[in-house]
Amino acid sequence: MRPRLQRAALELFSERGFDRTTAAEIAALANVTERTYFRHFPDKREVLFDGEAAMQRSLADAVANTPARLAPLPMLLQAFLSVVPMFESDRELKERRHRVISATPELQERELTKLAHLTDAIGTALEHRDVPPHIASLAATCGIAVLTRVRLEWLAGDTRDYPALLADAFADLASLFDLNAGQGFSSTAV
Amino acid sequence: MRPRLQRAALELFSERGFDRTTAAEIAALANVTERTYFRHFPDKREVLFDGEAAMQRSLADAVANTPARLAPLPMLLQAFLSVVPMFESDRELKERRHRVISATPELQERELTKLAHLTDAIGTALEHRDVPPHIASLAATCGIAVLTRVRLEWLAGDTRDYPALLADAFADLASLFDLNAGQGFSSTAV
């Protein structure tokens, strides 16, 4: 039921825009009553954010299950690599969702809140792996920065696969302090 | 005029809560008409975000003016150190503002949007210093993560001064890949 409502919502949001679509119209396209719609989602916005809790759980579990004790960012790379199938699923739906959100400031704010919650979930998972809180929150934010960039590259049709995109982004992260990382920075001292 | 309205708004938001305060009441406490209030701010929320554009400009200018060409994160450390007086100003107002925002989900969403815009501004400033876009956005996000953490430490009354807090946070950032950074991680290989 929920995936059906999501497909219907994306269909209408893509066609007419988010603002000019009602929950009733989404329900009608999905062939259910408005009441049924509101049993699943509190408003027309949340239908786009249904995967949030599942994503949080998957990433937290992935951090919990990295096989060895690692430094925080290598731990996150391992964790992200272990859930690549989740990142790669439903490509067409993700593309549509991305276009709708990019066109709607209200949805962008909601997306930022989702990312903030995801950052908190990853930070907490790192703390459970004995990373001190003030380090865990920095690492989680960097991890989300990587995921955000990789997602955009993947949606833009980058030729690298998801594991390669993740590895490259973490390598770039590691190079941010490096004066000679081959990024064309000159090496004047700090 | 704008600082006067801001003080009045913080006074009322702190006392009664954001939701139970109106723009008219803010105007009255500041001894101006409601019309005057709305000449300065579009709604009661924006009075809390007045410094946003100035902050963006200051940080972008600071990045533009770092004396030497450096790797992205050392460049940001230099830039942030050069505007420490801005970070340290109006402590009491910033504390009040932080408490009001922490208590109000609607304001937290707005604060996240502000941070996203600030991240974009820093990313663009880094690009103007010849940092490639896909590196600049990662560096900017890490820089904002540092600023967010340092701000919270400072507001919580940390005994270190702002430059020391910044230096320590950047050092923690540099240690996130390090298996032996003395954070208690064991050194099993990736």
Side-chain angles (χ1 to χ4, degrees):
Chain A
M1 173 55 65
R2 293 163 86 96
R4 200 161 111 199
L5 289 168
Q6 283 158 33
R7 276 167 206 278
L10 277 173
E11 188 82 32
L12 292 172
F13 294 161
S14 303
E15 226 170 70
R16 315 181 182 175
F18 176 77
D19 290 334
R20 275 177 299 170
T21 301
T22 66
E25 291 166 334
I26 299 169
L29 183 62
N31 247 324
V32 301
T33 63
E34 195 175 347
R35 203 177 146 141
T36 299
Y37 178 91
F38 284 114
R39 256 207 310 275
H40 289 280
F41 302 107
D43 55 37
K44 69 170 171 168
R45 190 176 77 162
E46 287 309 304
V47 67
L48 288 176
F49 296 90
D50 188 42
E52 185 172 356
M55 169 78 93
Q56 276 180 32
R57 267 194 310 277
S58 296
L59 286 176
D61 287 351
V63 170
N65 294 324
T66 51
R69 298 188 76 209
L70 302 164
L73 287 180
M75 191 182 278
L76 288 187
L77 173 56
Q78 291 292 349
F80 296 167
L81 287 173
S82 75
V83 293
V84 158
M86 174 177 77
F87 295 137
E88 286 181 332
S89 66
D90 298 321
R91 186 190 175 111
E92 207 205 325
L93 280 187
K94 281 175 180 160
E95 275 173 1
R96 284 195 146 182
R97 181 179 177 279
H98 176 66
R99 276 197 300 271
V100 169
I101 289 178
S102 299
T104 318
E106 177 189 346
L107 296 176
Q108 286 163 33
E109 288 211 352
R110 178 66 182 81
E111 181 78 358
L112 288 173
T113 299
K114 173 184 157 179
L115 290 175
H117 291 158
L118 206 51
T119 305
D120 290 344
I122 291 175
T124 302
L126 286 170
E127 289 182 40
H128 290 154
R129 297 298 302 267
D130 298 327
V131 178
H134 65 290
I135 306 277
S137 65
L138 278 184
T141 305
C142 293
I144 290 294
V146 161
L147 286 186
T148 302
R149 169 178 132 179
V150 165
R151 206 172 133 275
L152 290 175
E153 289 172 331
W154 180 73
L155 287 172
D158 198 289
T159 54
R160 292 167 289 177
D161 64 11
Y162 229 102
L165 290 168
L166 285 170
D168 287 351
F170 273 98
D172 284 341
L173 202 51
S175 79
L176 292 177
F177 277 100
D178 188 349
L179 296 174
N180 302 299
Q183 303 294 345
F185 310 114
S186 70
S187 56
T188 318
V190 185
Chain B
M1 172 54 67
R2 292 162 87 95
R4 199 161 111 200
L5 290 169
Q6 282 159 33
R7 276 166 207 278
L10 278 173
E11 188 83 31
L12 293 171
F13 293 161
S14 302
E15 225 171 70
R16 314 181 183 174
F18 176 77
D19 290 333
R20 275 176 299 169
T21 301
T22 66
E25 291 165 335
I26 299 169
L29 183 62
N31 247 324
V32 301
T33 63
E34 194 174 349
R35 205 178 143 137
T36 300
Y37 178 91
F38 284 113
R39 255 205 313 274
H40 290 280
F41 302 107
D43 55 37
K44 68 170 173 169
R45 190 176 77 162
E46 287 310 303
V47 67
L48 289 177
F49 296 90
D50 189 42
E52 185 172 355
M55 170 77 94
Q56 276 179 32
R57 268 195 309 277
S58 296
L59 287 176
D61 287 351
V63 170
N65 295 323
T66 52
R69 297 188 77 211
L70 302 165
L73 287 180
M75 191 183 279
L76 288 186
L77 173 56
Q78 292 291 348
F80 296 167
L81 286 172
S82 75
V83 294
V84 158
M86 175 178 76
F87 294 137
E88 285 181 332
S89 67
D90 298 321
R91 186 191 175 110
E92 206 205 325
L93 280 187
K94 282 175 180 160
E95 277 173 0
R96 283 196 147 182
R97 181 178 176 281
H98 176 65
R99 276 197 300 272
V100 169
I101 290 177
S102 300
T104 318
E106 178 189 346
L107 296 176
Q108 286 164 33
E109 288 211 352
R110 178 66 182 81
E111 181 78 359
L112 289 173
T113 299
K114 173 184 158 181
L115 290 175
H117 292 158
L118 206 51
T119 305
D120 289 343
I122 292 176
T124 303
L126 285 170
E127 289 182 40
H128 290 154
R129 297 299 302 268
D130 299 326
V131 179
H134 65 292
I135 305 278
S137 65
L138 277 184
T141 304
C142 293
I144 290 295
V146 162
L147 286 186
T148 301
R149 170 178 131 178
V150 165
R151 205 172 133 275
L152 289 175
E153 289 173 330
W154 180 72
L155 287 172
D158 198 289
T159 54
R160 291 168 290 178
D161 64 11
Y162 229 101
L165 290 168
L166 284 170
D168 287 352
F170 274 98
D172 283 341
L173 204 49
S175 79
L176 291 177
F177 277 99
D178 189 348
L179 297 174
N180 303 300
Q183 302 294 346
F185 309 113
S186 70
S187 56
T188 318
V190 185

